């Protein structure tokens, strides 16, 4: 009489390796900051980068970037003059370990509060160890994370 052999398979769930958390302080350490001014280009509002010296900055030329402290000081000084900037920004570089994601139009206003739309919550939950902020438009969220 033939015999049967039973095989038991056990599935063990291995948790994903924990990624190191990233903070805004990590970005403060790098000399990759610029001022920016909201300007119209081709009929659309665009964030145009500027150096601390008031000239156009380049997103690909590190010589036009400055430290966070210098950019903040220039921004604060500009508030009291006619040279107005819309904000300060950080420039991604192939030499840094970061990447960024813009979640455009992911916010809705409900009872006077901004709420994240369902589709965006799914993605943002994947990026818990990141630095996030509201985009200048107020309609989106920007996330920075370790690449």
């Amino acid at each position: 009489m033939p015999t049967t052999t039973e095989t038991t398979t056990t599935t063990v769930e291995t948790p994903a390796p924990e990624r190191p958390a990233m903070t805004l302080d990590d970005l403060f350490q790098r000399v990759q900051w610029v001022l920016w001014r909201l300007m119209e280009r081709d009929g659309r509002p665009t964030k145009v980068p500027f150096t601390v010296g008031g000239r156009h900055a380049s997103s690909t030329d590190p010589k036009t970037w400055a430290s966070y402290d210098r950019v903040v000081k220039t921004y604060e000084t500009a508030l009291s003059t006619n040279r107005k900037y819309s904000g300060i920004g950080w420039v991604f570089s192939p030499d840094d370990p970061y990447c960024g994601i813009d979640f455009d139009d992911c916010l809705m206003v409900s009872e006077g509060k901004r709420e994240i739309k369902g589709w965006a919550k799914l993605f943002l939950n994947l990026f818990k160890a990141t630095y996030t902020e509201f985009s200048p438009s107020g309609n989106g969220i920007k996330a920075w994370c370790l690449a």
Side-chain angles (χ1 to χ4, degrees):
M1 174 169 175
T3 60
T4 55
T5 306
E6 287 187 32
T7 305
T8 304
T9 304
T10 305
T11 303
V12 177
E13 287 190 35
T14 306
E18 200 167 304
R19 294 179 59 109
M22 187 196 147
T23 67
L24 187 55
D25 287 338
D26 298 327
L27 301 178
F28 288 155
Q29 306 286 324
R30 303 183 81 85
V31 180
Q32 290 176 232
W33 293 88
V34 294
L35 298 142
W36 62 269
R37 187 178 300 145
L38 197 58
M39 302 174 83
E40 192 170 309
R41 283 192 179 163
D42 299 323
R44 299 186 67 186
T46 304
K47 292 192 321 186
V48 179
F50 284 86
T51 68
V52 293
R55 296 191 173 147
H56 286 276
S58 169
S59 62
T60 59
D61 184 0
K63 289 181 241 159
T64 65
W65 309 340
S67 70
Y68 176 78
D69 291 337
R70 283 192 66 206
V71 169
V72 169
K73 184 177 180 180
T74 303
Y75 180 79
E76 289 172 345
T77 301
L79 289 175
S80 63
T81 67
N82 287 335
R83 179 175 272 163
K84 300 289 185 203
Y85 296 103
S86 303
I88 62 173
W90 195 78
V91 183
F92 289 99
S93 164
D95 298 327
D96 68 52
Y98 306 109
C99 65
I101 304 169
D102 283 338
F103 294 94
D104 294 329
D105 195 33
C106 72
L107 299 171
M108 60 186 167
V109 177
S110 176
E111 298 180 14
K113 293 183 181 179
R114 286 190 272 197
E115 292 186 24
I116 301 171
K117 293 179 181 177
W119 67 265
K121 282 183 186 178
L122 295 172
F123 290 105
L124 288 167
N125 282 335
L126 297 172
F127 295 96
K128 288 183 180 174
T130 66
Y131 168 73
T132 57
E133 68 181 24
F134 293 116
S135 60
S137 70
N139 297 331
I141 294 176
K142 302 172 96 173
W144 282 263
C145 58
L146 291 170

